[in-house]
Amino acid sequence: MKVHQLDLSIALGEYAHQIICQNFQRFVDREESVFQDNDPEPLHQMRVGMRQLRTAVRIFSTAIVLPKGVSHSSIGVIAKSLGETRDLDVLQLDLTNRYQLLLPKTEQSKFDKVLKHLHQKREQSFLDLKKTLNGDRYQKLKRSIQAWIEKPTYTPVGNLAILEILPDLLLPLICELFLHPGWLVGTRIQAGKAASIPIENVEELNQQLRQFGDLLHSLRKQIKGVRYQAEFFAAFYEPSYMQRIAEFKAIQEILGQFQDRVVLRQFLESTLNADLGKVLPTIDREMQQDETAFWQNWQPLQQSYLSLEFRESLRSLLTTPLNSATTVSQKSKKKAKGSTSSEDNPLNSN
């Protein structure tokens, strides 16, 4: 697709048009590869493109006027169908690339039963996905988005320069994220402050996972949306902003690995109709070790986001996008050097 040269004085509506166009093209371009089903990566990328488009529709809702059939929920229906098949691909990759290698022969027959069931489930899910992508709902959604891209309509807010209103867009998202109860999983409230439960208290921490794991799953979904939205505006901030985005990605990945294990355990026990520790004890032990590793990776990030100083610094960062003087200076330096990096364009983000 055509890459737009970013103008930091761009209006919000025009920038929304670029973001929506990019992510629309991201999943449309992968349709053929998804139907061929030779590689799980196109499906993953199509799902990401759909999710980012859904995020863009939400965050730019005050700036653009979309056709009636294009909404956060209508895009979400298609994204869910993609996600169901993608999740089964992830399960299969985990089982075959990691856990199968650990099994003794005594557990192999049970494991083979699981793989067979998973293969059948994935085949059916893919048939359902093809039906969805060939169906009227998806085709009408594509036509409506394409029509808007060709002839976009903006609200009065959409005519405002991004730099005039950017903190007002991003600060509510971050403040909402800070208040998510998932940050408190594995903590104790002492003197009005949250303190992490010591890593040595393994049983207490794992009890927290069993009791409040759904909150961590919810936090992961929220952090993913915040990350996408933050990436949209990376070029409007100093380089330190990218460090925060990297942290969002790390948090998303750690919580994602935890959720993948939850889903995998549920799938195994449902398929075998038995407690995992009794039928596949090797996998059960490995998952218990993963729980300990989760806390070791999670607590440093958790402690940062529970820190008052850290939260204040992040809020301060969001209130200081690049100003016009900085923008002119940066552009002059780049022109003098005679080079332009693709990293300067947020529309190239994966």
Side-chain angles (χ1 to χ4, degrees):
M1 66 169 288
K2 180 180 179 180
V3 176
H4 299 268
Q5 180 64 39
L6 181 65
D7 176 5
L8 295 187
S9 65
I10 192 171
L12 182 61
E14 186 180 349
Y15 190 66
H17 179 269
Q18 293 186 18
I19 293 291
I20 288 174
C21 181
Q22 181 210 35
N23 286 292
F24 174 72
Q25 207 63 44
R26 182 174 188 171
F27 64 78
V28 169
D29 286 348
R30 288 168 174 80
E31 284 181 5
E32 183 177 348
S33 296
V34 168
F35 280 122
Q36 292 174 355
D37 199 28
N38 295 323
D39 182 350
E41 186 61 21
L43 173 59
H44 171 57
Q45 291 300 324
M46 188 175 185
R47 182 192 193 188
V48 171
M50 188 71 72
R51 282 178 163 178
Q52 290 188 327
L53 177 66
R54 182 175 56 174
T55 299
V57 166
R58 182 175 65 246
I59 195 171
F60 294 114
S61 61
T62 60
I64 58 179
V65 181
L66 291 170
K68 186 177 180 181
V70 182
S71 65
H72 182 266
S73 59
S74 64
I75 298 171
V77 170
I78 308 301
K80 181 179 180 181
S81 182
L82 292 165
E84 289 173 352
T85 305
R86 171 59 184 170
D87 289 345
L88 292 172
D89 284 344
V90 172
L91 283 181
Q92 184 167 309
L93 287 170
D94 279 349
L95 286 172
T96 55
N97 292 350
R98 180 183 180 190
Y99 295 106
Q100 187 173 24
L101 304 176
L102 304 174
L103 294 179
K105 291 183 179 181
T106 53
E107 298 178 37
Q108 193 63 53
S109 61
K110 293 289 186 182
F111 189 81
D112 290 343
K113 178 181 177 180
V114 169
L115 287 182
K116 182 179 179 180
H117 178 67
L118 177 58
H119 180 70
Q120 293 171 343
K121 192 177 177 81
R122 204 277 184 186
E123 280 188 334
Q124 184 58 54
S125 178
F126 184 67
L127 290 175
D128 294 340
L129 173 59
K130 288 199 297 184
K131 184 177 180 181
T132 296
L133 296 181
N134 286 320
D136 289 342
R137 184 196 296 268
Y138 177 62
Q139 297 303 320
K140 288 179 180 178
L141 178 65
K142 282 201 303 180
R143 288 195 297 269
S144 296
I145 297 172
Q146 185 64 55
W148 183 85
I149 288 173
E150 293 173 359
K151 192 175 181 179
T153 305
Y154 306 125
T155 70
V157 173
N159 295 319
L160 296 172
I162 286 184
L163 292 180
E164 293 292 319
I165 56 176
L166 191 47
D168 302 317
L169 280 174
L170 293 178
L171 276 172
L173 309 173
I174 291 298
C175 292
E176 184 180 357
L177 177 65
F178 286 160
L179 291 172
H180 196 287
W183 295 112
L184 301 180
V185 177
T187 69
R188 301 168 183 154
I189 307 300
Q190 300 173 343
K193 296 183 179 181
S196 298
I197 296 172
I199 197 72
E200 296 79 16
N201 297 10
V202 177
E203 184 55 39
E204 184 178 0
L205 286 172
N206 290 342
Q207 177 60 35
Q208 290 267 315
L209 288 183
R210 289 188 286 271
Q211 188 173 357
F212 302 114
D214 58 329
L215 291 179
L216 292 176
H217 180 45
S218 173
L219 177 59
R220 179 208 178 195
K221 291 192 292 185
Q222 189 162 339
I223 201 79
K224 184 184 300 182
V226 169
R227 173 195 161 197
Y228 287 162
Q229 293 168 57
E231 286 176 338
F232 290 160
F233 302 108
F236 297 92
Y237 284 94
E238 296 290 351
S240 58
Y241 181 89
M242 291 302 300
Q243 296 175 12
R244 303 288 81 81
I245 292 178
E247 287 173 357
F248 295 153
K249 184 176 182 180
I251 292 169
Q252 177 188 330
E253 290 177 349
I254 291 172
L255 293 176
Q257 291 167 4
F258 165 73
Q259 182 61 24
D260 288 345
R261 289 192 295 272
V262 171
V263 172
L264 180 57
R265 179 180 287 275
Q266 292 173 346
F267 176 79
L268 291 171
E269 293 186 340
S270 173
T271 300
L272 298 172
N273 195 28
D275 180 85
L276 187 62
K278 296 179 179 179
V279 289
L280 292 172
T282 302
I283 295 180
D284 183 61
R285 286 193 299 270
E286 189 72 12
M287 287 188 174
Q288 290 180 26
Q289 293 175 8
D290 288 341
E291 289 182 349
T292 301
F294 165 77
W295 290 113
Q296 292 171 341
N297 294 324
W298 172 244
Q299 283 195 340
L301 287 167
Q302 179 189 39
Q303 289 164 2
S304 290
Y305 278 76
L306 290 174
S307 162
L308 176 61
E309 293 76 15
F310 178 85
R311 294 182 180 212
E312 288 178 341
S313 70
L314 182 49
R315 286 191 290 262
S316 177
L317 173 63
L318 296 181
T319 62
T320 53
L322 298 173
N323 56 41
S324 298
T326 304
T327 301
V328 172
S329 174
Q330 288 181 340
K331 286 185 175 180
S332 298
K333 290 179 180 178
K334 289 177 182 177
K335 186 175 291 187
K337 291 179 179 179
S339 64
T340 301
S341 169
S342 62
E343 293 178 359
D344 296 327
N345 193 334
L347 302 182
N348 293 331
S349 174
N350 290 325

